[in-house]
Amino acid sequence: EFCKEQGYRPFEYTLTPRYKGTTCLLKQTEAGGPVVSVTLAYIRDGKLLNCRLTSPNRVIPDIYLLHQGIGGKPVHVYIHLERLDISTTNVPDLKKVLMTDYERKDKMLSMWDKFMLGEQQTQSAEKASWMSQFTAIDMNVKSALLYQLLHAIVMFAAASLCGCMDKLLLSIKILFVTVASCHTLGWVMNSTSMESVPFETGIKGIYKATTGMKRTNCLDKCKSK
């Protein structure tokens, strides 16, 4: 509805921009500096994960899913940067600039979907030309695992020197059980993982469940009246 009100075709792959919040952020850039729009395409097993908003196959990668790729099917990330010409003083113009930019993002992701799943999949030359606009984000799994291992060694060495190894092990157990339980509960309730930060999946799952119950109760009351 918001897209139609602004004179745009409803977006199929992206949400509408948060132009009011962006206005606040732009106040911090009055001294100068570029404003860059970022578009990300997440590909796993030859499929676009951030596909249509209404698609049952849509998956937004989070911490859990990205770590799954270390031992399973990796998630390939492609990035596209576009510099925006934004006025820091004119809010209506900012809304238009952002809506136009999100329309561009929507078309970009639509093309990704066509190349990954549609009839254009076999046109390798056209696909290669399209993908040349994007930069693949290389993930060094060996370095990531090495950093985690070194981090663990430092923690255990410090705990050993301070004589608090038991407390460290207890803290790890409590944290693991808490995070795992919260994540599993949220995943069961919401059928998806949203772990950008610890406990997010559980908190959002409980929130959606409670708000859904409230809506149901309100509808029942309205019907009874």
Side-chain angles (χ1 to χ4, degrees), residues 22-35 86 88:
T22 306
T23 303
C24 297
L25 292 175
L26 285 176
K27 292 179 180 179
Q28 309 302 318
T29 64
E30 291 179 353
V35 177
I86 291 182
T88 59

Side-chain angles (χ1 to χ4, degrees), residues 31-206:
V35 177
V36 179
S37 173
V38 180
T39 305
L40 294 171
Y42 299 96
I43 310 296
R44 183 179 63 178
D45 205 21
K47 297 179 181 179
L48 179 69
L49 294 181
N50 49 330
C51 53
R52 279 188 175 87
L53 295 169
T54 56
S55 172
N57 299 319
R58 181 179 173 88
V59 177
I60 302 301
D62 61 352
I63 296 174
Y64 185 83
L65 184 62
L66 292 174
H67 278 79
Q68 274 185 323
I70 293 177
K73 297 178 180 178
V75 177
H76 300 283
V77 184
Y78 295 86
I79 186 171
H80 181 274
L81 304 178
E82 183 84 9
R83 184 164 180 165
L84 299 182
D85 182 18
I86 291 182
S87 168
T88 59
T89 56
N90 198 326
V91 175
D93 284 351
L94 173 61
K95 184 196 297 185
K96 184 176 180 181
V97 168
L98 290 178
M99 286 295 293
T100 302
D101 179 57
Y102 270 62
E103 183 180 41
R104 176 187 62 83
K105 290 171 180 278
D106 198 72
K107 290 179 180 178
M108 270 193 162
L109 293 175
S110 173
M111 288 298 294
W112 267 105
D113 219 2
K114 289 179 181 178
F115 279 122
M116 291 294 106
L117 302 176
E119 67 280 356
Q120 300 183 50
Q121 189 174 9
T122 57
Q123 301 176 10
S124 57
E126 188 178 357
K127 180 179 177 181
S129 175
W130 166 255
M131 291 182 64
S132 65
Q133 303 177 73
F134 290 77
T135 301
I137 299 178
D138 294 325
M139 300 182 185
N140 195 324
V141 176
K142 291 182 179 179
S143 295
L145 292 174
L146 179 61
Y147 291 148
Q148 291 182 19
L149 178 61
L150 291 175
H151 184 249
I153 291 173
V154 170
M155 283 198 307
F156 282 106
S160 179
L161 290 172
C162 297
C164 56
M165 184 65 73
D166 292 340
K167 292 182 179 179
L168 175 62
L169 293 174
L170 179 60
S171 299
I172 292 174
K173 290 177 183 177
I174 293 174
L175 186 61
F176 176 80
V177 172
T178 305
V179 173
S181 301
C182 185
H183 182 270
T184 303
L185 176 64
W187 200 336
V188 170
M189 295 177 69
N190 206 40
S191 301
T192 186
S193 176
M194 298 175 285
E195 206 75 7
S196 298
V197 294
F199 308 110
E200 183 177 6
T201 303
I203 293 171
K204 285 186 175 180
I206 294 171

